[in-house]
């Protein structure tokens, strides 16, 4: 990530669509789980840690890992002294399980979806729950400029049927799946729009390019939100 990219992203509350309500919905499908050991894989700045702790209280513990050290430093500012949280800078593939729950918001595709599902399945205890969000197309024929943008950003993107097939192929049982609502995207984009407005007047060439790209991403979603989105899936490793 470039310095200009981090100038935009530094201290944003989150790095992808999501809200506490989404965590509560997903973990709620697994029933009560006090004391559970949770992995937040690709935690970014740690936006979901609070809701994860709530879902596994009392006695739960969250191991939050991200490959990008500045995001982990952000999470450390809030959670560094909390004994219920362990923060790790590193690759999610290298964290030792087993976990009762794996939460992975917008980060599994970095591993390749099927490989990522298999790697994470092996870190779950038998019967353990994994909740992950993955970008999907929601219509059979997206508009041409959306298709071009998605192909450039995420060539392997598919629909919910493909996603369900991958889950089965990874040996996981699907418990629930929903498309994240618009509010989850606004929770990501609104703080970013405020930051763009602050930075724009004094941006140099590198930063202006990063701001342009972020604005284009937001505009694409505002125009085409009915045609693509994030599917939040809740799956279980069979006993
Ligand atoms: C779209 S962001 C989502 C962050 C966070 N879950 C959130 O919703 O705010 C994806 C995150 O995955 C992290 N990431 C990508 N590959 C990773 C890997 N192999 N191990 C750990 N983190 C990774 C990135 O650094 C980034 O913070």
């Amino acid at each position: 990530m470039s310095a200009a990219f981090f100038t935009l992203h530094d201290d944003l509350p989150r790095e992808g669509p999501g809200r506490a309500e989404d965590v509560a919905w997903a973990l709620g499908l697994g029933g009560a789980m006090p004391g559970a050991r949770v992995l937040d894989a690709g935690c970014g700045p740690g936006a979901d840690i609070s809701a994860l702790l709530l879902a596994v209280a009392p006695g739960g513990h969250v191991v939050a890992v991200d490959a990008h050290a500045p995001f982990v430093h952000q999470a450390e500012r809030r959670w560094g002294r909390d004994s219920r949280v362990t923060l790790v800078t590193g690759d999610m593939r290298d964290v030792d399980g087993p976990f009762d729950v794996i939460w992975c918001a917008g980060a599994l595709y970095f591993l390749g979806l099927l490989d990522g599902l298999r790697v994470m399945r092996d870190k779950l205890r038998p019967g353990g729950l994994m909740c992950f969000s993955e970008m999907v197309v929601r219509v059979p024929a997206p508009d041409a400029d959306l298709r071009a943008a998605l192909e450039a950003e995420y060539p392997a993107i598919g629909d919910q049927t493909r996603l369900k097939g991958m889950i089965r192929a990874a040996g996981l049982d699907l418990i629930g799946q929903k498309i994240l609502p618009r509010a989850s995207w606004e929770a990501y984009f609104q703080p970013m729009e405020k930051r763009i407005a602050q930075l724009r007047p004094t941006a140099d060439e590198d930063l202006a390019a990063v701001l342009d790209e972020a604005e284009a991403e937001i505009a694409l979603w505002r125009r085409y939100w009915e045609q693509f989105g994030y599917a939040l899936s809740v799956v279980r490793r069979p006993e």
Side-chain angles (χ1 to χ4, degrees), residues 1 13-18 40-48 65-68 71 90-93 103-111 188 230:
M1 278 173 213
R14 59 179 313 121
E15 283 299 314
D40 185 353
C43 63
D48 294 324
V65 60
D66 200 280
H68 188 56
F71 289 154
D91 194 311
M92 64 175 94
R93 285 172 281 221
W103 172 258
C104 189
L108 206 58
Y109 82 98
F110 285 102
L111 309 191
Y188 171 44
Y230 268 97

